[in-house]
Amino acid sequence: MVPESELIMLSALQHYVFCPRQCALIHIEQIWEENGLTAEGRGLHDRAHSESAESRPDCRRIFGMPLRSLELGITGKSDVVMETPEGVFIPLEYKRGKPKVKEMDTVQLCGQALCLEEMTGKPIQEGYIYYFRIRKRLHVLFDQALRDFTIRTISETRAMLEGGKTPLPVYSKRCESCSLNDLCRPELIQKKLDINDYLDRMLSKELSETTLQEGIK
Ligand code: SF4
């Protein structure tokens, strides 16, 4: 069991899958920069996180339910948890954009499901992610592959956060939509690393040539 003080945020899993450096900048260095995309996303979540519930004919909807798993050491809040008349819980998460190639949204939803399983003692088989841009609900099955990936992500994220070291940037397309781009400066750091690498290689080449020439004398 993980002590309360060492629980990691469910949102950190999503950040880690997107980019480990982004996760470290936010959760180790406590840096957060809002951009248009994050502001819009936060607006959607603010509405959903106002802890309340409403009953509909087909289910009860609980908004902003606090979640945690002491076994896995994670905590957070759901946007919505639906409870059917049969007592089945189904998490629903709101996202601004559209489904991602990487599993960053599904890993966060699966983390919620694992918390709900521990809290309710009931299996959680499925959930949904509603994407506002395309106005579609993605059905997510919590199969073994997604559960394994989520548990692996929790352990990698924990190891990085406990190590307290922010990884160096790796520039890629995802950096274009990253809210921390201006603070991270991935291209600049990458260039510096490339220059240092070049200088190191030149230096070791020169040293080995000098050693060779001294050997010939
Ligand atoms: S700018 Fe790129 S490397 Fe830097 S935190 Fe964002 S995604 Fe990661």
Side-chain angles (χ1 to χ4, degrees), residues 195-205:
I195 291 170
N196 285 346
D197 185 46
Y198 172 78
L199 291 176
D200 280 351
R201 276 188 285 117
M202 285 299 109
L203 188 64
S204 66
K205 189 171 167 236

Side-chain angles (χ1 to χ4, degrees), residues 101-113:
V101 181
K102 281 184 152 192
E103 296 97 332
M104 55 196 144
D105 294 342
T106 49
V107 85
Q108 190 180 2
L109 191 72
C110 185
Q112 293 181 10

Side-chain angles (χ1 to χ4, degrees), residues 18-19 21-22 25 169-171 174-175 178 180-181 184 186:
F18 178 70
C19 168
R21 178 170 166 85
Q22 192 207 55
L25 288 172
V170 178
Y171 183 74
R174 70 194 161 173
C175 300
C178 177
L180 299 184
N181 193 310
C184 171

Side-chain angles (χ1 to χ4, degrees), residues 161-183:
L161 297 183
E162 285 180 357
K165 210 169 154 209
T166 302
L168 289 168
V170 178
Y171 183 74
S172 70
K173 197 159 169 38
R174 70 194 161 173
C175 300
E176 289 164 20
S177 62
C178 177
S179 62
L180 299 184
N181 193 310
D182 283 350
L183 297 162

Side-chain angles (χ1 to χ4, degrees), residues 9-24:
M9 300 298 295
L10 281 163
S11 60
L13 308 180
Q14 180 202 15
H15 296 141
Y16 183 85
V17 174
F18 178 70
C19 168
R21 178 170 166 85
Q22 192 207 55
C23 179

